Amino acid sequence: MERFDNQRVLVVLPHPDDESFSVSGSLAKYLKNGSQVTYACLTLGQMARNMGSPLFANRITLPEIRKEELAQSCRAIGIQDLRMLGFHDKTIEFEDRELLDGAISALIEELNPTVIYTFYPGYAVHPDHDATGAAVVRCVENLPAERRPVVRAMAFSRGCEEILGPPDVRVDVKDFVKQKAASIQSHKSQFWVPELKKASQKDLESRFGTERFWTIKFD
């Protein structure tokens, strides 16, 4: 059974908004149970094509807008330790590996997490997602076996369950769907879901009440 108390949680994702649909409910649950949560976001998503609807951002203003949206999402979840690592959007796969892995490894060394959340390499649709997950896996794999944190990964590419099997971790986040909805709504430049404001608790639970993860296996 998954433990949510007394954990040191590190989340490593490439874009603002990656947390909202995939893991925000679980993070709120950790925080409610007294665990520490650090969110390391690699980029500001500055190359995103969405600029709000109706339009309110442009290529110049988008980075600062997304930075504030990320901070707002973290407040909705309850995250106080947000790290913005300053890499460039849509280039994670091309980043100098020593620099990228060094930044992630430094966080692992500082925080000594018991569990890390990231994307499942090869099964997370976006090249930045896959490259981020691959970097986390490399960094953890390089640790002595006794020091490796558990790595929980999000996968959602077409047919991923046929290849990976079903997710081995399903988290009931029904008590935290309001925080999840608020996290999603924080990213106004990217998502337009006005119905969430009027959604009932039952509707939110039906839509967002479970989060699923695969545990990365190391030899």
Side-chain angles (χ1 to χ4, degrees), residues 17-32:
D17 77 37
D18 283 339
E19 80 291 343
S20 57
F21 284 100
S22 58
V23 71
S24 57
S26 296
L27 300 180
K29 189 169 187 175
Y30 276 113
L31 289 160
K32 177 69 173 179

Side-chain angles (χ1 to χ4, degrees), residues 2-8 29-30 33-36 114:
E2 204 76 356
R3 281 192 59 185
F4 288 87
D5 61 312
N6 299 315
Q7 301 300 300
R8 297 181 301 279
K29 189 169 187 175
Y30 276 113
N33 286 276
S35 292
Q36 303 170 20
T114 54

Side-chain angles (χ1 to χ4, degrees), residues 19-133:
E19 80 291 343
S20 57
F21 284 100
S22 58
V23 71
S24 57
S26 296
L27 300 180
K29 189 169 187 175
Y30 276 113
L31 289 160
K32 177 69 173 179
N33 286 276
S35 292
Q36 303 170 20
V37 174
T38 297
Y39 179 12
C41 191
L42 299 190
T43 83
L44 292 178
Q46 55 266 64
M47 296 303 294
R49 296 183 67 183
N50 292 338
M51 299 286 175
S53 181
L55 189 72
F56 65 85
N58 58 49
R59 186 58 61 205
I60 302 300
T61 62
L62 188 62
E64 281 301 314
I65 287 171
R66 298 209 70 188
K67 183 177 180 180
E68 177 50 39
E69 288 176 346
L70 176 58
Q72 183 177 335
S73 172
C74 286
R75 289 193 293 269
I77 298 166
I79 298 170
Q80 295 184 334
D81 189 8
L82 170 62
R83 313 288 182 96
M84 302 183 192
L85 299 192
F87 291 95
H88 200 272
D89 189 22
K90 293 192 176 180
T91 67
I92 299 302
E93 63 186 309
F94 306 114
E95 288 289 352
D96 180 90
R97 184 172 289 192
E98 186 174 344
L99 184 64
L100 177 62
D101 291 10
I104 295 170
S105 293
L107 282 172
I108 294 172
E109 187 66 28
E110 174 194 348
L111 300 166
N112 189 26
T114 54
V115 59
I116 299 178
Y117 285 84
T118 192
F119 287 116
Y120 204 119
Y123 298 94
V125 178
H126 192 295
D128 279 356
H129 295 174
D130 291 334
T132 298

